[in-house]
Amino acid sequence: MKIGITGLANSGKSTIFNSLTRLGVSTPPYAATSGEPHLGMAKVPDERIDRLAEIFKPKKVTYATVQFVDYIGLTRGDAKQNRSVCEFVKDADALVHVIRAFEDEGVLHPLGSLDPLRDARTVEAELILGDMELVEKRLENMDLALKKGSKPSPEERALLEKCQAALNDEISLRDVSFTNEERVAMRHLQFMSIKPQVVVLNIGEHDLNSDQAAAMCREVERLYKGSVWVKALALSGKIEMEIAELPSEEARAFLEDLGIQEPALNRLIRACYENIGLISFLTVGEDEVRSWPVRKGSDAHAAAGKVHSDIQRGFIRAEVISYEDFMKVGSLAAGRDKGLLRLEGKTYPVTDGDIIHFRFNV
Ligand SMILES: Nc1nc2c(ncn2[C@@H]2O[C@H](COP(=O)(O)OP(=O)(O)OP(=O)(O)O)[C@@H](O)[C@H]2O)c(=O)[nH]1
Ligand SMILES: [Mg+2]
């Protein structure tokens, strides 16, 4: 799973990327206009894994991970530049859209003043413009092909025209209803405004936990007309980066001082995970306790394939117990005795938090 970090220049994208991945890429106070994209992995925090690790004391504990890509910012009104920026995130499953909401005279704002809602609108408009261009180019190519005697698919044309009509009305594609077939048919076009978004308001460190920050989140969500594909949250990139750089004991003390239970980054990663439509199933044992990401709606057979292709090929049964049931009884054996451990077949729809043991034969 890949998530692209986007937003205007100097909004704090790389700062947030650093907190997520601990890679320490440079975050100069001036806007970057070129360079290489940064790639890094972030662990998906999961308390269930922490608790299970305490019980099983395994040799290895593995969390699900998500890949993040950080690149330079989008520029208002510069379609060419934006096209090259989107090139690196167009295959992402979702976007983290960072909006500057912190005041700092030492950090240049590309639009000259602090105005989070304007910035949100600006970025959304650029994504829509980029998608419009894509549609137009694709339609032109179809016309050309037609002239040359080939027969482009009428379904694809209709679909493109449907997209075009929405984009012309400034409606992001994520808010247009498409059938599954339509979604599959346009996947290769790699539209940007169709991607789920987690909007991050990068607030000043003194605004943490403030009513003002919460109100701003609501305003941003209103701007996206309550789209189910957009979630907004507020955090301070600067503080998150400081927390990420601390040894874990000190980080805990720092969080306590701030009056928060966990880094806001955990909420951010979880929001991304949910927005992509991912759930986790868990495997346990003395060797490893691990969480595995799968798409919501995946069956046990697909889940087995995540663990190992042999397990998928030789799939016999999945022994399944929900995390909650497991915690009530404390062991798989007790779960079996109490009838809470179920035997499921290939088509069993995996649920978030299922602890699964695959029986297989190769
Ligand atoms: N005060 C304050 N400064 C921040 C915060 N987040 C980022 N900055 C500063 O803003 C500047 C830009 O941060 P970056 O993380 O590099 O921003 P960016 O969006 O990656 O910038 P470009 O890649 O150049 O578009 C740096 O000087 C950061 O230290 C924050 O939460 N508070
Ligand atoms: Mg940057």
Side-chain angles (χ1 to χ4, degrees), residues 136-246:
E136 279 159 19
K137 194 173 264 152
R138 184 84 194 122
L139 283 169
E140 271 171 29
N141 285 344
M142 285 177 107
D143 287 341
L144 270 178
L146 193 65
K147 276 188 196 137
K148 284 185 184 151
S150 63
K151 282 205 195 90
S153 118
E155 289 85 13
E156 185 178 356
R157 174 172 288 275
L159 178 57
L160 287 167
E161 282 168 355
K162 176 174 169 179
C163 294
Q164 194 174 35
L167 294 166
N168 280 338
D169 286 342
E170 293 173 34
I171 297 171
S172 304
L173 295 178
R174 74 175 89 78
D175 296 326
V176 179
S177 94
F178 292 110
T179 63
N180 272 341
E181 291 77 39
E182 286 177 327
R183 281 183 188 280
V184 172
M186 63 189 176
R187 203 169 283 157
H188 72 282
L189 293 167
Q190 298 185 307
F191 288 124
M192 291 292 290
S193 76
I194 203 166
K195 295 187 194 302
Q197 253 189 53
V198 178
V199 179
V200 172
L201 283 163
N202 188 8
I203 56 174
E205 43 274 43
H206 304 296
D207 295 329
L208 272 183
N209 303 327
S210 69
D211 293 342
Q212 201 192 347
M216 214 191 304
C217 278
R218 284 194 297 274
E219 269 187 71
V220 167
E221 282 185 328
R222 246 199 313 277
L223 189 75
Y224 291 92
K225 302 179 192 73
S227 168
V228 294
W229 298 108
V230 179
K231 302 263 172 299
L233 55 90
L235 55 76
S236 157
K238 202 167 175 178
I239 290 200
E240 292 301 321
M241 194 156 110
E242 279 170 29
I243 297 173
E245 282 166 357
L246 289 174

Side-chain angles (χ1 to χ4, degrees), residues 49-317:
I49 290 294
D50 305 332
R51 304 280 300 278
L52 290 167
E54 283 164 17
I55 295 173
F56 284 91
K57 305 196 171 36
K59 294 189 194 107
K60 199 172 158 201
V61 179
T62 312
Y63 295 81
T65 54
V66 182
Q67 186 183 45
F68 283 90
V69 189
D70 167 48
Y71 194 43
I72 58 180
L74 294 169
T75 308
R76 183 167 71 182
D78 191 342
K80 185 158 171 262
Q81 164 81 353
N82 293 342
R83 209 163 30 245
S84 67
V85 171
C86 290
E87 201 50 36
F88 291 101
V89 283
K90 66 183 188 185
D91 62 338
D93 299 285
L95 297 175
V96 164
H97 171 184
V98 182
I99 299 178
R100 173 160 170 184
F102 65 87
E103 307 228 18
D104 189 335
E105 285 183 359
V107 180
L108 183 97
H109 192 301
L111 301 183
S113 61
L114 193 64
D115 186 345
L117 290 180
R118 172 206 56 203
D119 294 356
R121 269 189 228 108
T122 304
V123 166
E124 199 59 21
E126 293 302 332
L127 298 182
I128 287 177
L129 275 175
D131 285 352
M132 254 175 185
E133 247 185 46
L134 269 178
V135 169
E136 279 159 19
K137 194 173 264 152
R138 184 84 194 122
L139 283 169
E140 271 171 29
N141 285 344
M142 285 177 107
D143 287 341
L144 270 178
L146 193 65
K147 276 188 196 137
K148 284 185 184 151
S150 63
K151 282 205 195 90
S153 118
E155 289 85 13
E156 185 178 356
R157 174 172 288 275
L159 178 57
L160 287 167
E161 282 168 355
K162 176 174 169 179
C163 294
Q164 194 174 35
L167 294 166
N168 280 338
D169 286 342
E170 293 173 34
I171 297 171
S172 304
L173 295 178
R174 74 175 89 78
D175 296 326
V176 179
S177 94
F178 292 110
T179 63
N180 272 341
E181 291 77 39
E182 286 177 327
R183 281 183 188 280
V184 172
M186 63 189 176
R187 203 169 283 157
H188 72 282
L189 293 167
Q190 298 185 307
F191 288 124
M192 291 292 290
S193 76
I194 203 166
K195 295 187 194 302
Q197 253 189 53
V198 178
V199 179
V200 172
L201 283 163
N202 188 8
I203 56 174
E205 43 274 43
H206 304 296
D207 295 329
L208 272 183
N209 303 327
S210 69
D211 293 342
Q212 201 192 347
M216 214 191 304
C217 278
R218 284 194 297 274
E219 269 187 71
V220 167
E221 282 185 328
R222 246 199 313 277
L223 189 75
Y224 291 92
K225 302 179 192 73
S227 168
V228 294
W229 298 108
V230 179
K231 302 263 172 299
L233 55 90
L235 55 76
S236 157
K238 202 167 175 178
I239 290 200
E240 292 301 321
M241 194 156 110
E242 279 170 29
I243 297 173
E245 282 166 357
L246 289 174
S248 62
E249 271 311 304
E250 284 175 44
R252 234 189 307 273
F254 187 39
L255 286 173
E256 247 167 55
D257 280 351
L258 291 169
I260 46 181
Q261 287 198 325
E262 58 169 1
L265 230 39
N266 290 10
R267 275 190 293 134
L268 169 59
I269 299 175
R270 277 198 297 265
C272 293
Y273 202 71
E274 281 159 22
N275 231 359
I276 304 178
L278 292 176
I279 56 169
S280 298
F281 72 90
L282 320 171
T283 52
V284 294
E286 284 167 13
D287 285 335
E288 189 180 33
V289 164
R290 180 163 182 168
S291 65
W292 303 83
V294 281
R295 292 229 177 235
K296 223 178 263 174
S298 299
D299 60 20
H301 192 240
K306 292 271 167 195
V307 181
H308 203 286
S309 55
D310 283 349
I311 300 183
Q312 186 173 41
R313 205 152 27 89
F315 185 100
I316 301 172
R317 281 275 185 275

Side-chain angles (χ1 to χ4, degrees), residues 23-39:
L23 283 180
V25 308
S26 74
T27 56
Y30 52 84
T33 51
S34 64
E36 289 296 311
H38 310 117
L39 288 170

